[in-house]
Amino acid sequence: MKQTAKAPANIAFIKYWGKSDAALRLPLNDSLSMNMSGAYTVTTVEFSVDFHKDEVALLGGEFSDHEVFRVIEGLNRIRGRAGVKHYARVVTKNTFPKGAGSAASASGFAALTLAGFASLGSRIPEKELTIFARLGSGSACRSIPDGFVVWEKGNDNETSYARSLFPSTYWDIRDVLVIVDKRMKKVSTTEGMETVTTSPHLSSRLAAVPPRMAAIQQAMNEKNFVRFGEITEEDCLDMHRVMQTQNPPLFYWNEATERIMSAVKSWRNASLPVYFTIDAGPNVHLLCEGKDEARLLEMIKTLRGVEEVILNKPAEGAKIISEHLF
Ligand code: 2P0
C-alpha cells in the first residue's frame, strides 16, 4: 500500500553536536527544538512484491550515492522491524534548499520512517518511530512529535528518543530563517561530529547543557521570551565555539552571518526582542514573538546578502497525508 508522510524540519534551541555512539546515533547531550511550519519534506513510500530493487528519487534535485545508501539502510531497518522482504519505491520532495543547514535530513528521515511503516500497515508507537528516525539522522527524531520537542540522550537504543514538551499551539513565537547561502555545506554534520572530542571546550559544554536544559524549560513554562532567547543564543555560541576549536576547525559562518548577528544586537537595543540561532551552516534563524513578526520582517529587508526568507510558526510533528507523489 502506498502511503505519504509530511514531516517538518526542526530548529534546535539547545543543540545536538557530538555522539557517544556513531552507529546508533546516540547524542552526547539532550537537545530541545521546535518544528518549523515553513520547511518540510513530503515522502511517498510503496513496498511491493512486484519491485525488483529499491528505487529512491528526490523531486527537484538529486540524491548523492551516499544519501541513497542511507535511505536504503532506513528501508532495511523498517523491513527488519515489520518482518517483510519487499523492495520499495520512495519519492520525496523538500520545500527548502537541500544542504543549506536547514535540517533536510531531519525532516527527510522523519517522513521516510512514518511513511515507511504506514505503507506496511505497521502500527508503531510514536516513541519507537522517533528511535527509528534517529537511526537515520539524529535530529530526525525531533521532527516526529508535535510542537516543541525534547530529545533525551539516553544511554542505549531504547532510551534515546524524542517526546513533545509542548504542543505547537502552546506559544506564538516565530523562527524567521534568513538564507544567505543555499549551497551544500562543505563538511557534513555526521563528518563534523566525528572530531568533536578534539575540542578543548567540549567538556565545559557538556557540563553546561543539563542546567541550560532546565533553565530553558523554565523560561518556556513561564513564556519568558527574553530569557528563552538569551539561553538559545548562549547555547548556539557555545556549540559554535566547540566546532571552531575542533581539529580541524569547523567555521560555518560567513560575512553575511556575522552582519546579521550584529544587526540582531542593534535591533535589541532599539527595543525589538529578537534572538538568533545558527546550525551547521551560514544561515541565521531569527526568533521573535508573534506580535513582533511584522517589525522583524521590515528590519530583515534592510539586510544585505539575503537570498531567501522562510517564515516559520511552531508546527505539528510528522503526519500521514492523503496526496501521493506518484
Ligand atoms: C541540531 N545539528 O541540534 C544540530 C545543530 C546541526 C547543528 O542536529 O549525523 O544531521 O545525521 O545524526 O542530525 C545536525 O545533525 O546529524 C544537527 P547525524 P544531524 O539541530
Side-chain angles (χ1 to χ4, degrees):
M1 190 182 30
K2 199 185 290 183
Q3 289 283 2
T4 300
K6 172 180 170 178
N10 69 75
I11 176 64
F13 306 129
I14 304 295
K15 310 281 194 191
Y16 151 49
W17 191 253
K19 299 179 177 79
S20 61
D21 184 318
L24 291 178
R25 289 187 149 81
L26 300 181
L28 285 171
N29 59 270
D30 293 350
S31 55
L32 188 153
S33 62
M34 179 189 101
N35 291 330
M36 296 159 62
S37 64
Y40 53 87
T41 298
V42 174
T43 300
T44 300
V45 180
E46 182 176 20
F47 286 91
S48 170
V49 284
D50 297 333
F51 299 156
H52 302 293
K53 63 180 170 69
D54 290 321
E55 280 181 30
V56 177
L58 174 66
L59 299 181
E62 217 169 308
F63 280 130
S64 67
D65 290 347
H66 182 64
E67 287 168 328
V68 171
F69 175 75
R70 277 176 72 175
V71 171
I72 292 175
E73 280 188 323
L75 293 171
N76 287 339
R77 284 188 292 269
I78 292 169
R79 281 187 276 255
R81 170 69 171 81
V84 302
K85 292 211 159 86
H86 315 158
Y87 288 110
R89 186 172 291 164
V90 177
V91 176
T92 191
K93 78 171 184 205
N94 295 318
T95 63
F96 54 100
K98 182 166 82 83
S102 333
S105 64
S107 53
F109 277 101
L112 177 74
T113 304
L114 182 61
F117 280 116
S119 64
L120 287 170
S122 304
R123 286 175 175 272
I124 306 285
E126 180 183 276
K127 177 176 170 178
E128 198 180 345
L129 285 175
T130 76
I131 289 170
F132 274 91
R134 187 203 79 227
L135 291 165
S137 186
S139 54
C141 67
R142 298 190 312 235
S143 288
I144 299 268
D146 185 23
F148 298 86
V149 176
V150 168
W151 174 11
E152 312 268 5
K153 69 183 168 87
N155 47 35
D156 58 20
N157 190 45
E158 281 69 43
T159 52
S160 185
Y161 70 99
R163 61 180 167 83
S164 180
L165 183 64
F166 296 110
S168 54
T169 50
Y170 172 72
W171 202 8
D172 186 33
I173 64 170
R174 301 287 180 273
D175 162 34
V176 186
L177 170 54
V178 180
I179 296 185
V180 295
D181 189 347
K182 290 184 187 174
R183 286 171 300 178
M184 283 292 283
K185 50 193 165 237
K186 291 186 201 81
V187 180
S188 75
T189 48
T190 305
E191 211 183 318
M193 285 188 212
E194 279 167 12
T195 50
V196 70
T197 53
T198 60
S199 167
H201 294 294
L202 178 65
S203 58
S204 64
R205 169 163 170 71
L206 293 180
V209 167
R212 206 176 276 154
M213 280 291 289
I216 199 167
Q217 288 181 64
Q218 190 182 338
M220 293 172 82
N221 281 332
E222 296 165 358
K223 296 190 181 166
N224 181 339
F225 184 74
V226 169
R227 188 75 195 109
F228 164 80
E230 286 170 352
I231 298 167
T232 298
E233 256 181 35
E234 180 183 283
D235 190 69
C236 163
L237 293 173
D238 195 17
M239 178 188 73
H240 281 274
R241 186 170 60 160
V242 170
M243 292 166 155
Q244 290 163 9
T245 54
Q246 289 178 206
N247 185 12
L250 288 173
F251 202 89
Y252 285 108
W253 306 340
N254 66 20
E255 225 183 295
T257 315
E258 298 198 24
R259 266 204 310 273
I260 298 172
M261 290 161 77
S262 62
V264 164
K265 279 187 198 135
S266 66
W267 296 342
R268 274 207 297 266
N269 290 338
S271 306
L272 175 61
V274 51
Y275 294 85
F276 64 77
T277 187
I278 305 161
D279 283 345
N283 304 317
V284 184
H285 293 253
L286 298 179
L287 306 169
C288 74
E289 291 178 276
K291 67 179 174 57
D292 293 320
E293 175 193 319
R295 259 180 90 200
L296 176 59
L297 291 176
E298 279 308 306
M299 298 311 276
I300 291 170
K301 285 185 190 155
T302 67
L303 294 170
R304 273 184 298 131
V306 175
E307 293 186 4
E308 194 178 331
V309 172
I310 299 177
L311 175 63
N312 300 288
K313 295 181 182 184
E316 291 187 335
K319 290 272 173 299
I320 293 293
I321 59 171
S322 52
E323 310 93 82
H324 304 304
L325 293 179
F326 64 89

